[in-house]
Amino acid sequence: MGMADSPRFAASSTPPSSSSTTGSTHTTPAEARPVESVPAKEYYSSSNYVSRHRTVGSSRKPASMDSASSDNPMAHSETATKYRRPRRGSHDDKATKPRRFLIDVEETQKLILEQEDTDGDFQITVNDMGPKVITLGTADSAGFNKYDIRGTYMLSNLLQELSLAQDYGRKYVVLDEARLNENPVDRLSRMIRHHFWDGLTRRIDAEGLEMISNDPKNRSKNTAPRIYIPYGEDEVYEYYKNVSAQKPHLKLDVEQLPEVITPKYVQSINEKPGILALAMTKFVDESGHETLKGVPFVVPGGRFNEMYGWDSYFESLGLLVDGRLELAKGMVDNFVYEIQHYGKILNANRSYYLTRTQPPFLTDMMLKVYDRLPFSLEIENKQWLAVALTAAIKEYQTVWMSQPRYDPESGLSRFYSEGVGMPPETEATHFDHVIKPFADAKGLSIEEYSRLYNEGLMEEPELDTYFKHDRAVRESGHDTTYRLDNCCADIATVDLNSLLYKYEMDIAETIQTIFGDSFETPFFSCYETSSLTEENRPLTTVHQSAEWFERARLRQARINELCWNEERGMFFDYDTRLKVQGTYESVTTFYTMWSGCADREKAEKMMVKALPLFEVTGGLVSGTEASRGIITLARPNRQWDFPFGWAPHQIISWIGFEKYGFKEEAKRTCYRWLYTITKSFVDFNGVVPEKFDVVNMTHKVQVEYGNVGVDFKFIPREGFGWMNASYQVGLGYMDRGLRRALGAVMEPNKVFKSRITPTEAPASSASLESGSGLAPELYLRRHSSIVIQPPDVTTRLIRPNSLRRA
């Protein structure tokens, strides 16, 4: 039973509003919101909520009622009880009056689980085989008039609302029917905005340490919470030592990192993993003493309970849509802190990630935040941006333009982590199939061989090569995929180099338009300056936009030369060791449109030749089935291959399509993805998972890491970081008709049956000059080398024109 089970399910994106009280003590009738849109904190926390609705004939509270019974709208004095029966003729059945139900929270929750949760997972889903109907009494009739709540969606919403009521200590509630049949698009968006972001927010300080220290990936015997402090951060070190002394129950171990962090050192602390300190701010506490507070950030969710690299970028897009500017700004601040103290934006802030970064998005992230900072603080904002820009330049030069990640022969960059041994954060048996042949050859168990190898007592060059590539795959964020299997450290991926092209353009434009075409930073060593001797290296460097535009032009030329395939109409990765172009068809070809690296002609060809390869029912698939190859027991599915789809690929593609004027394609592919999320949300008790099988339309995936975000009871509390963001960003692409269709959970092929036409390329480059297609003024020509960069016209995330410095 799905949406069809609910006769009152509204297709409209604007559910009927209720004239009844919302439960907020702060709203006036003129400002009242529809009850279904009121956040749970307001809806269930008001002490006046139930008492405003009489459930007995007399409004006077008998003196015999004690405090316990006063919370029970079903409890009546002996005098009031005799008047209950005659009130069966109440007027609560008027068609114009929204229904409100009087509910015993605990009893109703027990009943719904016993009757409907047939598989015992504490959720009401389409897989449960119960009758899918429960009867509730109305509030105005003191529970005498009964109405049926039917269907998976309404029953799962009821279960969720009961759980929220319990959170706020409510034993009895008067629940509006509008919250049970709420339009799913509005409900999910509201949950993300008011609940999920808060559920995913963390801080590393005295108040937040207990939550953030929890590490489900820690397989070592030492599970006590531990925090590592960067070298030189003495004040921070003393702060956490004081926290450890003041909160002995935490058993917090505080360690300080060495000045030089080597791969061998990182491996040496794998048996005592810990969280890595992030940015802190000073504030005055209640007692008037100055102390430190952690800068908050968002984690992906589930077993990923730390701040991740590229996840944070996509999460910040969702935060900005939802008006959470300070939280998004704090995530930029934490990235800057990581670059300053750990040398890179980390895969995540755990000790075992110290040698590994992730796809770079900092420049776009910092500019989107900067463009939303208040005008009244323009000087402070510019100072903030200068710090972030300095960090981005440092990361670009010392990480991506230095060996081993930079390949001077091709002029392109690669993912390459310099770790030692086996990645410790994986499941215990993850590498068994790799280790077994080597262990068998030595007559050892897998466990013993792994120990000897990790301790450097067993030399095996073939395994060294395997783990070099494995760490690079994890750094790429695409762990794992046959596209990068056992070769990633040699591959200049089209996605990474598109991101670095965007860095170069963003840095150039920012220096030119905001800093007067001159920006000074400390001297950062990279491949370009490796020939300078120590005494010839200056203390500072003055950057001008021309040099950065030139870097972008050169990278664009190398991408076009080495990665573009004219015949197949898309970009491929480049193998720097074999010096050949790859053949794996990946949706990352559209990164070139997001970054503005693709010229007009190539973008048009990708829309004609590449898009049909990746567009499936549920969105954009990561790669093609042909490229993935045959799946067998010995060659299982990989989660970044066909048939799986991921939020970052969807968002990147929508933005890229819109930049080049392919707005209908952006809407269509966006609708497919949002439909996949919405349908799963409706059918599976509000689930918002990490990823989807977008071909078979399911979140129940059989793949190496399973799926995160699906393990909850009664109600989802977090969703999943970048999935939440993709929904909030994606709604900005929906026009009124598409949003109504999405609210009715209409299949994409039905929605677009009358709208789809064969993909036609928009106006050619030549016609742009005559005024058709995208106007020439939308392109920014910043230097005589002519790097054409489409502007950021991302729906709902457009950079305000008023903030484009002349």
Side-chain angles (χ1 to χ4, degrees), residues 575-628:
D575 191 316
T576 61
R577 182 176 66 87
L578 300 178
K579 297 179 177 53
V580 296
Q581 188 180 95
T583 60
Y584 190 104
E585 295 165 330
S586 171
V587 74
T588 54
T589 185
F590 298 130
Y591 275 59
T592 59
M593 297 176 69
W594 175 85
S595 67
C597 179
D599 60 37
R600 185 74 202 170
E601 182 181 356
K602 291 180 176 62
E604 293 170 359
K605 287 185 177 178
M606 279 192 284
M607 299 308 291
V608 173
K609 291 191 172 184
L611 181 56
L613 297 177
F614 304 108
E615 185 176 356
V616 296
T617 303
L620 296 169
V621 71
S622 297
T624 63
E625 187 174 15
S627 290
R628 180 203 64 184

Side-chain angles (χ1 to χ4, degrees), residues 29 68 104 128 199 243 257 263 361 370 386 396 400 486 539 545 644 661:
D104 181 317
D128 287 307
V243 170
L257 294 169
F361 285 93
Y370 173 72
Y396 172 87
W400 301 112
N486 210 24
L539 294 177
S545 62
F644 304 110

Side-chain angles (χ1 to χ4, degrees), residues 1 39 46 68 75 122 156 160 164 209 322 340 360 401 440 469 590 648 664 686 707 733 737 756 758 804:
M1 296 184 182
S46 172
F122 298 94
S156 68
Q160 293 172 50
L164 289 171
L209 260 172
D322 284 337
Q340 290 173 340
M401 291 300 289
D440 289 346
H469 293 306
F590 298 130
E664 285 305 310
N707 212 346
Y733 287 85
I756 281 186
R804 290 184 181 276

Side-chain angles (χ1 to χ4, degrees), residues 715-757:
I715 182 173
R717 302 288 183 174
E718 302 175 340
F720 193 81
W722 61 25
M723 192 72 79
N724 301 340
S726 72
Y727 203 79
Q728 302 300 73
V729 172
L731 288 178
Y733 287 85
M734 298 292 97
D735 57 37
R736 182 177 298 180
L738 288 179
R739 182 156 178 151
R740 286 174 63 89
L742 187 63
V745 200
M746 290 181 62
E747 293 183 3
N749 293 338
K750 292 182 179 179
V751 172
F752 294 100
K753 186 174 182 180
S754 60
R755 299 174 59 143
I756 281 186
T757 56

Side-chain angles (χ1 to χ4, degrees), residues 458-507:
M458 188 70 69
E459 293 187 9
E460 183 48 67
E462 189 175 342
L463 273 182
D464 294 343
T465 300
Y466 173 86
F467 285 113
K468 175 185 72 173
H469 293 306
D470 180 83
R471 285 188 293 271
V473 171
R474 297 176 191 282
E475 184 170 276
S476 77
H478 293 83
D479 47 329
T480 60
T481 166
Y482 288 114
R483 167 189 167 216
L484 302 174
D485 192 36
N486 210 24
C487 65
C488 186
D490 297 329
I491 304 300
T493 66
V494 67
D495 39 299
L496 172 58
N497 285 282
S498 295
L499 297 178
L500 293 176
Y501 172 84
K502 183 70 159 57
Y503 258 47
E504 291 155 349
M505 288 299 299
D506 285 345
I507 292 170

Side-chain angles (χ1 to χ4, degrees), residues 27-33:
T27 51
T28 62
E31 300 169 334
R33 291 161 290 175

